[in-house]
Amino acid sequence: MLEFWFDPQTPVFKKFLILIVIAIATVLLYRMQPLAYTAILMFVATGVIFLICRYCKIHFAAKNPTGIVYRILTWIPIALLLALIFKNMNQGEILIPGAQGIGFMALAVCLFSPLSLLHQNKPTQAP
């Protein structure tokens, strides 16, 4: 989920291009059928929780990727996202609010992790 944003091999131009496409799609969906501001904030908070869980997975649970802690940290953001999508379902309409919510979550992940743009892993030259 959104691992392209954190991949140091992905060029910054491509990351910005994907960010712009996500923003345009989210704005278009918002203009079609706007979500309530509280729902938007909940999706943004889910993006922040995704970042926290990702950080915990990398720094605390990376030694045992098949362990229960790693799995829980993987499923927490997915469960929150699905719960919010079904909570914001309007009269059986799930596609537009769900896609819009995923867009707001992706925007939050991209906007609250700007250092991933600057992180460039370059091989060091041996003297």
Side-chain angles (χ1 to χ4, degrees), residues 18-37:
I18 293 172
L19 175 65
I20 290 170
V21 168
I22 291 171
I24 290 171
T26 305
V27 167
L28 288 175
L29 289 170
Y30 181 78
R31 298 208 16 112
M32 287 175 61
Q33 182 180 350
L35 279 175
Y37 292 123

Side-chain angles (χ1 to χ4, degrees), residues 47-101:
V48 173
I49 290 171
F50 168 80
L51 289 173
I52 293 168
C53 288
R54 187 178 186 282
Y55 177 81
C56 290
K57 280 189 336 187
I58 290 172
H59 293 288
F60 302 122
K63 293 179 183 171
N64 190 10
T66 58
I68 190 75
V69 174
Y70 194 89
R71 291 180 186 185
I72 288 173
L73 291 171
T74 300
W75 281 100
I76 287 173
I78 295 170
L80 282 172
L81 185 63
L82 289 174
L84 287 174
I85 287 172
F86 285 115
K87 181 200 167 293
N88 291 304
M89 187 168 60
N90 295 331
Q91 300 170 353
E93 177 67 32
I94 193 170
L95 183 62
I96 293 176
Q100 193 179 146

